[in-house]
């Protein structure tokens, strides 16, 4: 097998030099300030050894990568009842699309497009104050990443709140069909804040380990979810984790993955590794361009695709 440390070094060097860096998201003004030259990668293997390259210890806005963790929490609270509110089919539409929601009577296609993630957040919020729900999500991230220093970037959250007209429309639209239980402002407040959690590649790869190891954190033996649930979350990541770029990501990378408009991607090589990459420039579908390129090279060279070598 190729030497992982060597592969990561080579990928990091190449990514630092490439000129095709995509475009940084600017519909959340605070994200537009991030330097597109950043590139970070962290891989944690089955034994718990971390291999890192580039800006792997620089915190970035995890944005939609947080949706993997809110889905995990919501499934823990509601179990299969969750699937009454949200589907699990790829949308084939942009992450913030409204059009499908009208045809499908306010029930979002899957938990990773914005509408679906807002419905999931609403479920976590029910029976709590927004502050408590947010604390629950943040503590879950800190527990999984084994790092109590992880925080929310309040400037990013406020920036999205000021400009989140599209998400406000989605939430109101779902509310009109009874898919959202709580006041729309509360649900969106929690949603914007969990999207604004800031983490490094190393922290994110650590947090994703349970998905690579049948629901368990190998280092501690803690069971986060059952093996069956981990497998199913991975399936949804594979089919829906990159919106209308999910097919292309499966074709090129071949791993369950979840992207965010901050330029992060969490990818899971079952039984082998948890991987986080960060490159802020996005492609047309809103997924990290160089993050995808780096993962494609990594899985190809290591033979990690779930579809075979
Ligand atoms: N907070 C972002 C939004 O709702 C998340 C989108 C994303 O990362 N794709 O628009």
């Amino acid at each position: 097998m190729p030497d992982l440390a060597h592969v990561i070094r080579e990928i990091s060097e190449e990514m630092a030099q490439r000129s095709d860096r995509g475009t940084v998201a600017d519909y959340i003004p605070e994200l537009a300030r991030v330097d597109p030259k950043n590139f970070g990668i962290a891989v944690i293997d089955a034994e718990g050894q971390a291999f890192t390259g580039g800006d792997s210890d620089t915190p970035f806005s995890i944005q939609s990568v947080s949706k993997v963790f809110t889905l995990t929490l919501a499934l823990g609270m509601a179990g299969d009842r969750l699937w009454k509110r949200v589907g699990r089919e790829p949308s084939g539409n942009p992450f913030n699309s409204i059009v499908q929601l009208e045809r499908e009577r306010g029930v979002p296609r899957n938990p990773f497009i914005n509408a679906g993630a807002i419905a999931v957040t609403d479920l976590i919020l029910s029976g709590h104050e927004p502050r408590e729900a947010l604390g629950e999500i943040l503590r879950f991230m800190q527990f999984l990443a084994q790092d109590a220093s992880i925080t929310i970037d309040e400037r990013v959250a406020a920036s999205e709140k000021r400009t989140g007209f599209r998400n406000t429309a989605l939430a109101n639209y779902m509310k009109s069909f009874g898919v959202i239980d709580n006041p729309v402002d509360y649900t969106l407040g929690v949603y914007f804040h969990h999207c604004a959690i800031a983490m490094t590649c190393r922290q994110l790869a650590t947090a994703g380990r349970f998905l690579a190891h049948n629901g368990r954190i190998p280092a501690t033996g803690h069971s986060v979810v059952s093996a069956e649930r981990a497998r199913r979350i991975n399936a949804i990541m594979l089919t829906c984790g990159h919106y209308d770029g999910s097919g292309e990501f499966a074709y090129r990378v071949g791993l369950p993955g979840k992207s965010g408009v901050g330029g992060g991607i969490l990818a899971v090589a079952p039984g082998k590794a948890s991987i986080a990459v960060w490159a802020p420039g996005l492609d047309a579908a809103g997924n990290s361009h160089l993050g995808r390129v780096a993962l494609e090279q990594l899985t190809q060279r290591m033979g990690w695709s779930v579809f075979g070598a």
Side-chain angles (χ1 to χ4, degrees), residues 27-28 62-65 67 95 114 160 167 191-192 195 243 259-262 286:
Y27 76 98
I28 301 174
I62 66 169
Q63 292 297 321
S64 287
V65 184
K67 296 171 182 175
F95 65 86
N114 284 8
E160 183 166 8
N167 285 325
Y191 171 81
F192 293 147
C195 286
Y243 320 109
S259 72
V261 288

Side-chain angles (χ1 to χ4, degrees), residues 51-124:
F51 298 83
T52 60
D55 306 305
S56 57
D57 289 313
T58 306
F60 61 90
S61 193
I62 66 169
Q63 292 297 321
S64 287
V65 184
S66 63
K67 296 171 182 175
V68 173
F69 302 97
T70 49
L71 173 64
T72 304
L73 269 180
L75 282 169
M77 292 171 170
D80 282 343
R81 261 194 309 123
L82 176 82
W83 303 119
K84 291 209 172 79
R85 295 203 189 199
V86 55
R88 39 176 197 261
E89 290 295 343
S91 67
N93 274 307
F95 65 86
N96 55 5
S97 169
I98 295 184
V99 62
Q100 211 160 37
L101 212 47
E102 177 163 22
R103 276 203 306 273
E104 299 181 2
R105 302 197 56 76
V107 177
R109 268 289 168 104
N110 68 65
F112 291 156
I113 50 172
N114 284 8
I118 293 167
V120 167
T121 301
D122 183 68
L123 195 144
I124 296 174

Side-chain angles (χ1 to χ4, degrees), residues 182-218:
N182 297 284
V184 162
D185 279 358
Y186 286 15
T187 301
L188 284 174
V190 176
Y191 171 81
F192 293 147
H193 279 81
H194 74 64
C195 286
I197 293 173
M199 289 171 78
T200 67
C201 286
R202 191 190 296 267
Q203 290 166 335
L204 197 55
T206 306
R209 289 195 78 204
F210 75 99
L211 292 170
H213 303 289
N214 298 318
R216 284 179 180 275
I217 305 177

Side-chain angles (χ1 to χ4, degrees), residues 214-242:
N214 298 318
R216 284 179 180 275
I217 305 177
T220 59
H222 268 112
S223 174
V224 181
V225 293
S226 67
E228 177 186 323
R229 184 158 290 165
R231 190 178 75 230
R232 292 188 155 153
I233 294 170
N234 285 336
I236 301 168
M237 288 171 75
L238 183 86
T239 51
C240 310
H242 284 70

Side-chain angles (χ1 to χ4, degrees), residues 258-274:
K258 181 75 206 81
S259 72
V261 288
I265 302 176
L266 172 66
V268 177
K272 299 193 174 74
S274 173

Side-chain angles (χ1 to χ4, degrees), residues 138 142 146-152 198 203:
L138 185 61
Q142 293 170 337
Q146 293 157 47
D147 193 335
S149 72
I150 293 167
T151 52
I152 292 167
Q203 290 166 335

